[in-house]
């Protein structure tokens, strides 16, 4: 029987979604552009760059990039807002943040659809991103009193620079907790995506009188204002190590409070392990959002004598991973498809990973699995240049970026080892990571090896995640610098406490294992 020709689900076209955003927040959107939010109002200016959706390559609205001088003025204006907001009583701050959460919840579907078009998230994951941004902050609203007891807001606003992959559950979540703690907040829209979603969220938050600044521009041009300005009380950064290292140098030189979450090669080790059924169940879930997550697991370190059993579990599992157009259905009123991931963030990223993989194979890596995009999951004739099916390589050469760096895409690499020393060396290849997992049948072996793995969260046969609410989060080595966050420490990181206070930092004593 022939497969039906797919169509867009009714009401989900970019033009439909854009019109809805215009109707909900006319103060922030124009017919052909969005505005920047600074000095308490939505303002024109900035050079709007063209942008396309990773979903199908079609044009969407690009960021209005400000220059360095305007960014500096926005920071000075945010300081004035901060000085007023820090004196607003906590009950009023709670009420305003709670009202903003209600407004976001009321537009959950629209925020999710914007995420689908702007960064390619499948519907299930887009909704989860919005939900975590809402429910996570509700927990802080309910528990904030004890977290701020004996503490005060910072002397200046918090500057947020974050990657594009989790605009709501990472960036918007952090901004509202920072504001709840008594700080004005500044954020730069990520260069690669999330502009309209963040603009709508900021409009809903700003309506409640919360001091939010949201501006667009290149990191290089705006960093002087957003990182080095004397007015900034804390810098919160989520992104790659190269940019993070430059920011770390700047904030260290200035003695400025900072939270820097950076990439790391998260690894899954397998040693004296036999529960292959459980592993096979977990592997497809590890491909959520095409492994474009800071807590993704792109590297398996496998005991050589168990490699055949590993492959028997791994190959069918990875073959079951579903990718396709996130909004394509057989009939306009059908439910949206259940996918593990859709496109990567852009066609350039897909090409970069494809090229890295081809180069690794030329230098000796062995292809173990090479997925193929299924035409039945796409619209007829659509641009699929940003899509990449799962790929697995055995033993990438040391000269390959896939050997030592996080791919941030659906590429797994497998390394075989013969001794525990080799296992630990391979799992620690990137000098620090956010998460790692060790699968072993013997609890004593796990207890002995886990403390030697340089990752902040260690899973025992199961994946670890960023977590939220009361759960602490951080990294080891080059994957994290500055204060750890999570629970009350997310509040402590952006408030002043007792004299000589030292927040938990990048120290082994804070490694988390089950």
């Amino acid at each position: 029987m022939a497969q039906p020709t797919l169509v867009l689900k009714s009401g989900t076209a970019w033009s439909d979604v854009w019109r809805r955003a215009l109707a909900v927040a006319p103060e922030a959107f124009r017919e052909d552009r969005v505005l920047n939010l600074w000095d308490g109002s939505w303002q024109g200016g900035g050079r709007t760059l063209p942008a396309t959706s990773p979903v199908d390559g079609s044009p969407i609205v690009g960021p209005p990039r400000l220059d360095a001088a305007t960014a500096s003025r926005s920071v000075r204006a945010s300081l004035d807002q901060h000085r007023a907001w820090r004196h607003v009583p906590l009950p009023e701050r709670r009420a305003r943040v709670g009202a903003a959460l209600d407004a976001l919840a009321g537009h959950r579907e629209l925020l999710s659809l914007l995420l689908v078009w702007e960064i390619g998230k499948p519907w299930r994951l887009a909704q989860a991103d919005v939900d975590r941004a809402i429910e996570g902050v509700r927990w802080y609203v309910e528990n904030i009193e004890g977290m701020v007891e004996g503490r005060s807001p910072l002397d200046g606003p918090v500057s947020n620079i974050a990657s594009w992959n989790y605009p709501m559950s990472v960036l918007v979540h952090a901004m509202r907790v920072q504001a709840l703690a008594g700080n004005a907040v500044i954020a730069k829209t990520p260069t690669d995506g999330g502009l309209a979603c963040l603009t709508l969220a900021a409009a809903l938050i700003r309506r409640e009188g919360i001091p939010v600044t949201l501006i667009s521009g290149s990191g290089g041009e705006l960093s002087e204002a957003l990182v080095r300005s004397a007015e900034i009380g804390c810098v919160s950064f989520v992104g790659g190590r190269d940019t993070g290292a430059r920011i770390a140098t700047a904030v260290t030189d200035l003695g400025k409070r900072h939270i820097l979450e950076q990439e790391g090669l998260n690894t899954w080790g397998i040693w004296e392990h036999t529960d292959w059924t459980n592993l096979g169940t977990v592997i497809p879930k590890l491909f959520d959002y095409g492994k474009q997550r800071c807590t993704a697991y792109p590297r398996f370190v496998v005991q050589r004598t168990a490699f055949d059993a590993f492959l028997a579990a791994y190959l069918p599992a990875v073959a079951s991973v579903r990718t396709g157009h996130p909004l394509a259905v057989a009939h306009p009123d059908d439910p949206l498809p259940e996918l593990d991931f859709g496109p990567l963030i852009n066609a350039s990223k897909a090409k970069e990973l494809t090229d890295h993989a081809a180069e690794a194979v030329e230098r000796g890596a062995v292809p173990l699995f090479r997925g193929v995009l299924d035409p039945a999951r796409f619209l007829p004739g659509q641009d699929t240049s940003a899509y990449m099916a799962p790929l697995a390589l055995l033993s990438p050469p040391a000269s390959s970026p896939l050997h030592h760096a996080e791919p941030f895409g659906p590429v797994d690499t497998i390394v075989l080892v013969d001794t525990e020393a080799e296992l630990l060396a391979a799992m620690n290849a990137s000098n620090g990571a956010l998460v790692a997992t060790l699968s072993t049948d013997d609890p004593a072996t796990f207890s002995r090896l886990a403390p030697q793995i340089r990752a902040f969260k260690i899973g025992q046969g199961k994946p670890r995640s960023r977590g939220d609410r009361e759960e602490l989060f951080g990294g080891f080595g080059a994957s994290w610098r500055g204060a750890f966050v999570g629970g009350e420490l997310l509040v402590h990181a952006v408030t002043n406490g007792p004299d000589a206070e030292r927040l938990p930092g990048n120290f082994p004593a804070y490694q988390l294992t089950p």
Side-chain angles (χ1 to χ4, degrees), residues 393-427:
L393 301 178
L394 175 66
S395 301
S399 59
S400 169
L402 297 178
H403 176 79
H404 55 79
E406 180 184 21
F408 228 62
V411 180
D412 278 348
T413 55
I414 294 95
V415 174
L416 303 183
V417 294
D418 296 298
T419 67
E420 289 184 355
E422 289 178 343
L423 173 83
L424 292 170
M427 293 189 71

Side-chain angles (χ1 to χ4, degrees), residues 5 23 68 79 85 99 122 204 219 228 313 326 333 364 384 427:
T5 300
L79 177 61
W85 179 253
L204 297 172
R228 291 183 172 273
D333 295 327
T384 59
M427 293 189 71

Side-chain angles (χ1 to χ4, degrees), residues 9 54 83 109 112 115 128 158 168 188 224 229 242 255 271 301 322 344 346 363 368 379 382 440 443 463 471 491:
K9 180 174 175 60
R83 287 170 171 166
E109 181 193 16
S112 301
L115 288 181
V158 182
M168 293 295 294
K188 185 183 90 66
E224 187 72 21
S229 291
D242 291 342
W271 188 259
V301 181
R322 303 155 298 177
L344 303 191
N346 52 48
R363 296 180 181 180
L368 296 177
L379 299 179
Q382 77 158 87
T440 180
E471 188 173 355
V491 173

